[in-house]
Amino acid sequence: MDSSAPPVEKKREYRRKSRFGCRNCKLRKLKCDETRPHCVRCHTYGVLCNFGFNIPDLQPLCEERAKQEIVRRSGLSSPRSTITNAIWADDGSTFFMLDLQDQELFNRFRYRTLYSLGGSAMVDIYENHMLEVSFTCPFLMHGTLAVTAVHDRYLGVTPTHRRSLREAYHWSQCTILCNKWLSQPIKEEHKDPLWATAGTVAILTFSSINARFPEEAWPLGAPDSSDLEWLRLGTGKMALWHLVNPLRPESVFRIMSETFAYMHGPLPAKGTDGVSVELVQLCGLDESSTRENNPYFTVVHGLSRLLEGPKGEASQGRVMMVSSHMHNEFETCLEKKDPIALLLLCLWYTRARESKWWIDLRAGYELPAICTYLQRYHRDNSAIQALIPWDETLVLV
């Protein structure tokens, strides 16, 4: 063998990387179904598929992140960002600069998370008003970035169930600044941003779960100050409704009047009309029952309307109509872990989780926790045992 002969170089097999596919799948490192105009994975997760979208403002961010990584690995000091590239949220008294990660969060909100918050009316409100306003209202910007970080966790973009420091920071700043503005007379230009921020705080509170497994979740887990905090927040949001009135003529939210009207629509004042026989017997209803003499009355009537709809098609209006009546005596029943109230909440979760991802996030823990609690501590109540939706506990986030 001729030792002077050059070694044969083995060529590595080259596999072409897809330059297409939607960014949602790329973020989650999943194969995108590029043969469709809207990929199946996005449809399954309930987010807008951005297949084919041209988002040029993400490109300089990616290039800048790549440059920073090269500098970090080389051990050289990283140059400061120039002031011309800085993006600020500033209301004249409070301000903060969005770093590269914040800018990426904002872009994911704009092109992905926004479309999961509500229908076309909500998208129009943000695209025509709130996206721009968030740069002059730091409390809204903080809330927007925090919600996007939670959505990242839900979609698996961030491989952890725990809040990141960035998510916790933006949530904290959102709450602090929002309370600051609410402690003084509210100007007209701040009413809509405050109402939008209240929506982000509601999402953040609802999706906040201090549990790793259903056994650690309420009502099975150890008592925690955050238990049912999402329900108590609803009372505060209704108080804010009267302060800012999102249906006033000047409000950008007035185009959602039909959704608001359904949420606060009338329920029967008396009797059992529209309620199934099983729920009538469970809640002890009869023709003389009213909201004054039965703590389950309004919830079970609203829940019956929600359950009668086709599975998988729960509307936001019907879902919120039920939760808006989970206060006063019913909330007290939940705090005491009353088995009937727990079962009604459990049945609500089975349909509510279909409508919004942040409800699905909580339901993934509390739904099986409630079912297990009822089986463990109320096994002798045959009416409750017959209605426990065990099949829904098989689908976890």
Side-chain angles (χ1 to χ4, degrees):
M1 181 176 179
D2 187 2
S3 59
S4 63
V8 178
E9 181 180 355
K10 295 184 179 180
K11 294 185 178 180
R12 296 181 62 182
E13 181 181 355
Y14 176 74
R15 296 184 179 181
R16 183 180 64 87
K17 292 185 177 180
S18 172
R19 297 183 180 274
F20 302 97
C22 73
R23 286 179 173 81
N24 295 334
C25 289
K26 289 183 178 180
L27 284 171
R28 301 180 62 239
K29 298 181 179 179
L30 297 174
K31 179 176 176 57
C32 183
D33 185 351
E34 301 170 9
T35 63
R36 299 172 179 262
H38 303 287
C39 80
V40 175
R41 295 187 184 276
C42 285
H43 178 74
T44 301
Y45 275 88
V47 298
L48 177 72
C49 180
N50 49 24
F51 178 81
F53 276 28
N54 182 21
I55 312 176
D57 47 343
L58 282 179
Q59 186 62 31
L61 296 178
C62 297
E63 292 176 355
E64 180 65 22
R65 291 292 294 275
K67 292 177 182 177
Q68 290 185 353
E69 181 65 12
I70 293 173
V71 170
R72 185 187 69 81
R73 293 186 179 185
S74 66
L76 300 176
S77 60
S78 177
R80 293 178 177 269
S81 299
T82 60
I83 196 67
T84 56
N85 293 330
I87 298 178
W88 299 81
D90 185 355
D91 62 8
S93 61
T94 304
F95 57 88
F96 78 98
M97 186 180 74
L98 281 73
D99 62 17
L100 290 174
Q101 291 186 49
D102 287 340
Q103 292 175 36
E104 291 172 353
L105 277 176
F106 183 81
N107 274 292
R108 289 201 292 277
F109 176 84
R110 180 180 181 183
Y111 296 108
R112 183 202 66 194
T113 301
L114 168 58
Y115 294 88
S116 71
L117 300 185
S120 58
M122 181 67 75
V123 173
D124 289 343
I125 288 171
Y126 268 86
E127 287 187 340
N128 297 326
H129 302 281
M130 290 297 114
L131 288 178
E132 181 178 356
V133 168
S134 63
F135 288 95
T136 58
C137 295
F139 55 84
L140 177 57
M141 178 61 79
H142 280 298
T144 298
L145 299 179
V147 165
T148 308
V150 179
H151 199 199
D152 279 353
R153 286 196 287 116
Y154 175 77
L155 295 176
V157 176
T158 305
T160 176
H161 71 281
R162 293 291 187 183
R163 287 194 297 268
S164 65
L165 290 176
R166 183 174 298 271
E167 177 187 330
Y169 167 74
H170 285 303
W171 185 0
S172 173
Q173 290 300 304
C174 171
T175 303
I176 292 171
L177 296 177
C178 191
N179 288 336
K180 171 188 172 183
W181 284 103
L182 290 175
S183 65
Q184 52 190 312
I186 302 176
K187 298 178 180 179
E188 177 63 31
E189 61 267 25
H190 289 144
K191 289 183 178 180
D192 285 342
L194 283 171
W195 182 251
T197 303
T200 66
V201 172
I203 294 174
L204 293 169
T205 304
F206 206 106
S207 58
S208 177
I209 301 290
N210 295 323
R212 293 172 298 172
F213 312 102
E215 282 284 340
E216 298 177 353
W218 180 90
L220 278 178
D224 189 274
S225 59
S226 64
D227 292 341
L228 298 175
E229 182 65 23
W230 64 269
L231 193 54
R232 290 187 288 271
L233 184 67
T235 304
K237 192 173 180 181
M238 287 310 302
L240 180 62
W241 173 287
H242 297 293
L243 290 175
V244 303
N245 185 14
L247 294 181
R248 69 190 191 282
E250 303 83 9
S251 175
V252 299
F253 289 97
R254 66 186 182 277
I255 63 175
M256 298 183 64
S257 57
E258 291 186 7
T259 301
F260 291 143
Y262 195 95
M263 289 170 53
H264 304 290
L267 290 172
K270 191 176 183 179
T272 63
D273 187 36
V275 183
S276 69
V277 175
E278 294 81 6
L279 290 179
V280 166
Q281 295 175 349
L282 176 72
C283 299
L285 299 179
D286 56 35
E287 294 305 319
S288 64
S289 297
T290 64
R291 67 181 65 198
E292 285 77 21
N293 60 29
N294 190 302
Y296 317 114
F297 182 84
T298 54
V299 172
V300 75
H301 272 280
L303 180 62
S304 297
R305 293 186 181 182
L306 179 63
L307 295 176
E308 71 184 7
K311 189 172 178 57
E313 299 181 14
S315 68
Q316 183 179 7
R318 291 196 176 197
V319 168
M320 301 309 295
M321 179 182 65
V322 180
S323 62
S324 66
H325 291 287
M326 292 182 180
H327 302 294
N328 303 321
E329 292 185 23
F330 188 83
E331 181 178 342
T332 302
C333 290
L334 287 177
E335 291 173 348
K336 295 179 179 179
K337 300 181 181 180
D338 172 79
I340 298 176
L342 286 176
L343 182 58
L344 294 179
L345 176 62
C346 190
L347 294 175
W348 177 75
Y349 270 138
T350 63
R351 293 301 181 88
R353 72 185 308 180
E354 302 169 355
S355 67
K356 295 301 170 190
W357 56 265
W358 55 91
I359 301 180
D360 186 41
L361 186 58
R362 177 172 288 271
Y365 295 91
E366 287 194 356
L367 181 55
I370 295 173
C371 291
T372 303
Y373 181 90
L374 292 175
Q375 183 193 49
R376 186 176 298 174
Y377 299 108
H378 298 278
R379 64 174 66 241
D380 296 332
N381 191 323
S382 59
I384 286 179
Q385 297 302 314
L387 292 173
I388 294 178
W390 284 110
D391 56 323
E392 295 290 342
T393 66
L394 300 178
V395 183
L396 301 180
V397 174

